[in-house]
Amino acid sequence: MAKGEGAEQYSATSLLQNKPSSQAETKSSEKRRDRRKHLSVCNKLCYAIGGAPYQITGSALGFFLQIYLLDVAQLDPFYASIILFVGRAWDAVTDPTVGFLVSRTPWTRWGRMMPWIVLSTPLAVLCYVLVWYVPPFQQGKAVWYLVFCCLFQSLQTCFHVPYSALTMFISSEQRERDSATAYRMTVEVLGTVLGTAIQGQIVGGAGSSCIPGDLHAVGGANSTLAPLEPKANNSQVSLHETKQAYLIASGVICAVYVLCALILVLGVKERKGSAPLKVGQSMSFCEGLRLVLGHAPYARLVMGFLFTSLAFTMLEGNLALFCTYTLGLRNDFQNILLLIMLSATLTIPFWQWFLTRFGKKTTVYVGISWAVPFMIVLFCMNGNLIVAYVAAIGSGASVAAAFFLPWSMLPDVVDDFKLKNPDSSGHEAIFYSFYVFFTKFASGVSLGISTLSLDFAGYVTRGCSQPEAVDLTLRMLVSPVPIALIVIGLLIFRTYPIDEAARQGNRKLLQELRHREDMEASSDSSL
């Protein structure tokens, strides 16, 4: 009995002695949780660099694929339009599919997102090279490009959808995620600069060939264009060099793609507890889709950016042809594209400051509409290189806003969804993938319609100049049509309900919920 009483006394004394230690451990665990919420500059940079491959390849494909298919691969414009449309549409379809599969991926020692990124990278770079390879046969050439474009888009989706959703898994703090998004957008715009520079300077350095035809003989061509003098086999030699230049550019871009993927995987830690507040019951794909698309702020945000991204996609897809044929700047278009991307890169910090000062909705109105005057200048100008450079620099600032704002505002919508559906979790990838789905599908439609419009206008493959109908069509595709799409998108944004007050309120509520869950987890662990 005495021995038992002594044991009880020792136990009580031990508990009293360990109480301060327990408090110290609690404080230590809180500090560790705070450190997990905080992202170092190195973490943010490594995370941001992972977004570069998508933009590097995207800028090369966006600016150069249409002119490559028409003038280098020498496909009929009708088949080129099918490849451009089906490639983007297929890419759009794979996004929600991959997003659903990612949301169902079990947690591994490397995370849920990282295995997708690692496994997709080597296959993606192989398919990318084959997109820029001209096969030695004519029959079935269109099928070649269609297959490898779709394969590359699918594999790139397996990289980019998990990477986009990774935003919600690197930290639970909205401020840290916003800061990481700013880093990411800066690097992604730098990626577009790099992709445009690699593709444009290597391909532009190889020269550009064209074939004078009957259009010059009858005087029906645009008088601002100077046709090349026909020489024996000169066009064939130049075409061969151009094909080689496209292959070299694709190899350089693939090397950068692999390097960026390695930096992302080695420099970023995916945190299991950063995104979901609670683990709810799993939903089917259709249920998750209905819940996500039924969230009004998300639907309005996606529809608004759908139209504005359509505007910039149409401008991007037709700008190389516009500069080459309408403006007569055949040897300078790659520099114009590079100036647009450089201007976009340099203005990202300005839009980040503007966003914190005036709010995200105001930044949307100012940033997206900034491009309208410069689009009007493009419509009115006639081959003046200085004016083209000024318009490129000015419109680049608006391109930066179009890049930055959607990825900065999507986390706000996800947070709002979590607050209104606290028992749901794991839908982050679906939010991001369906945004990409709608924008890619619509951009595929716009590029397909653009190329078909050129076909109907009488586009001459590898011609030194084009009929007046093609000139007018290109002017419409880079100015009036994008302006109309921007106006529609901004009108939709007026109904977007998450302003600065709502965003700050949601942020405070999320902090309270996470603090409550941390306290519950601490009390459960102490028991």
Side-chain angles (χ1 to χ4, degrees):
M1 186 73 176
K3 186 177 180 179
E5 288 176 358
E8 289 176 3
Q9 270 187 344
Y10 173 78
S11 176
T13 305
S14 175
L15 286 173
L16 288 173
Q17 288 175 345
N18 286 338
K19 188 175 181 181
S21 176
S22 177
Q23 292 175 348
E25 288 176 359
T26 302
K27 290 181 180 179
S28 177
S29 64
E30 289 177 356
K31 288 181 180 179
R32 285 196 298 270
R33 282 194 295 270
D34 290 337
R35 283 197 298 269
R36 286 199 298 268
K37 294 177 182 178
H38 178 72
L39 295 174
S40 68
V41 173
C42 182
N43 293 145
K44 294 174 185 178
L45 282 174
C46 291
Y47 166 73
I49 288 171
Y54 181 78
Q55 298 301 337
I56 292 172
T57 56
S59 63
L61 290 168
F63 282 125
F64 293 93
L65 184 59
Q66 186 182 44
I67 195 171
Y68 168 79
L69 292 175
L70 293 174
D71 287 356
V72 180
Q74 301 183 56
L75 292 179
D76 183 272
F78 175 75
Y79 293 118
S81 67
I82 291 176
I83 292 167
L84 292 170
F85 166 69
V86 174
R88 290 294 184 104
W90 175 258
D91 187 21
V93 170
T94 58
D95 275 292
T97 305
V98 172
F100 174 69
L101 294 175
V102 169
S103 68
R104 289 298 185 92
T105 301
W107 186 268
T108 68
R109 58 180 296 185
W110 301 281
R112 288 168 59 191
M113 310 298 168
M114 289 301 183
W116 286 85
I117 293 170
V118 171
L119 295 175
S120 64
T121 296
L123 296 174
V125 296
L126 175 62
C127 290
Y128 182 78
V129 171
L130 294 175
V131 168
W132 300 105
Y133 173 70
V134 180
F137 49 83
Q138 189 64 32
Q139 199 73 18
K141 189 185 290 186
V143 176
W144 170 282
Y145 288 111
L146 182 62
V147 168
F148 284 109
C149 280
C150 290
L151 282 175
F152 171 71
Q153 299 289 8
S154 300
L155 292 164
Q156 191 185 48
T157 298
C158 293
F159 181 104
H160 190 63
V161 168
Y163 172 75
S164 300
L166 192 62
T167 308
M168 306 300 294
F169 291 88
I170 56 177
S171 176
S172 60
E173 284 295 318
Q174 178 64 42
R175 181 177 298 179
E176 292 294 318
R177 296 202 305 254
D178 280 345
S179 177
T181 300
Y183 275 81
R184 171 189 167 187
M185 292 301 105
T186 303
V187 172
E188 286 195 357
V189 176
L190 281 171
T192 63
V193 173
L194 188 58
T196 306
I198 293 172
Q199 192 85 3
Q201 298 306 312
I202 293 177
V203 172
S208 178
S209 65
C210 64
I211 301 175
D214 293 336
L215 194 60
H216 298 288
V218 299
N222 188 335
S223 59
T224 62
L225 294 173
L228 298 179
E229 291 296 326
K231 297 180 182 179
N233 295 326
N234 185 52
S235 63
Q236 292 302 318
V237 172
S238 180
L239 180 60
H240 176 73
E241 292 174 355
T242 304
K243 291 177 181 178
Q244 293 299 315
Y246 273 101
L247 269 181
I248 293 170
S250 68
V252 174
I253 286 175
C254 285
V256 177
Y257 191 117
V258 173
L259 178 62
C260 292
L262 283 173
I263 292 173
L264 171 66
V265 172
L266 298 177
V268 176
K269 182 176 177 58
E270 184 179 344
R271 305 186 188 280
K272 187 175 182 179
S274 296
L277 294 174
K278 290 184 180 180
V279 178
Q281 295 181 350
S282 61
M283 290 187 176
S284 69
F285 175 76
C286 293
E287 290 173 335
L289 174 62
R290 178 184 56 80
L291 195 60
V292 166
L293 294 184
H295 189 55
Y298 178 74
R300 293 169 186 173
L301 182 74
V302 168
M303 289 302 296
F305 278 121
L306 172 64
F307 283 97
T308 57
S309 65
L310 265 177
F312 289 101
T313 300
M314 188 165 289
L315 176 64
E316 174 190 14
N318 294 283
L319 194 56
L321 290 171
F322 176 76
C323 293
T324 300
Y325 294 113
T326 302
L327 301 184
L329 303 174
R330 179 179 293 273
N331 297 320
D332 297 291
F333 77 89
Q334 69 270 16
N335 297 325
I336 294 172
L337 302 182
L338 186 58
L339 272 178
I340 292 175
M341 295 297 102
L342 282 173
S343 173
T345 303
L346 295 175
T347 51
I348 280 281
F350 167 77
W351 291 122
Q352 172 66 12
W353 169 83
F354 194 93
L355 179 151
T356 56
R357 179 69 178 82
F358 298 101
K360 296 184 180 182
K361 283 190 72 171
T362 303
T363 307
V364 168
Y365 297 135
V366 176
I368 301 296
S369 61
W370 183 269
V372 172
F374 300 101
M375 290 180 178
I376 296 173
V377 170
L378 286 176
F379 183 80
C380 299
M381 66 181 293
N382 287 302
N384 189 310
L385 185 59
I386 302 300
V387 176
Y389 284 164
V390 172
I393 293 171
S395 59
S398 193
V399 171
F403 269 110
F404 175 70
L405 288 169
W407 302 109
S408 177
M409 297 172 76
L410 277 170
D412 300 335
V413 174
V414 175
D415 287 342
D416 185 76
F417 177 83
K418 286 179 180 179
L419 287 171
K420 293 178 180 176
N421 301 273
D423 294 328
S424 300
S425 65
H427 299 297
E428 295 83 7
I430 298 178
F431 272 100
Y432 284 86
S433 62
F434 270 100
Y435 166 72
V436 179
F437 166 79
F438 288 119
T439 55
K440 285 183 177 179
F441 187 84
S443 68
V445 172
S446 71
L447 288 176
I449 291 175
S450 297
T451 311
L452 277 178
S453 301
L454 294 175
D455 189 22
F456 293 146
Y459 180 85
V460 180
T461 300
R462 292 185 65 216
C464 287
S465 60
Q466 300 293 337
E468 291 183 3
V470 173
D471 172 77
L472 178 61
T473 301
L474 287 170
R475 287 184 185 274
M476 295 295 293
L477 292 174
V478 300
S479 184
V481 175
I483 289 172
L485 292 170
I486 286 174
V487 171
I488 295 172
L490 294 180
L491 289 174
I492 294 174
F493 273 119
R494 287 181 61 86
T495 65
Y496 177 66
I498 304 179
D499 54 15
E500 275 304 294
R503 191 174 74 87
Q504 294 295 337
N506 286 347
R507 180 171 171 268
K508 290 180 180 178
L509 288 173
L510 281 169
Q511 286 178 339
E512 291 175 2
L513 284 173
R514 290 191 176 103
H515 179 69
R516 191 182 309 158
E517 288 192 347
D518 287 344
M519 295 296 292
E520 290 176 357
S522 298
S523 62
D524 290 342
S525 62
S526 64
L527 291 176

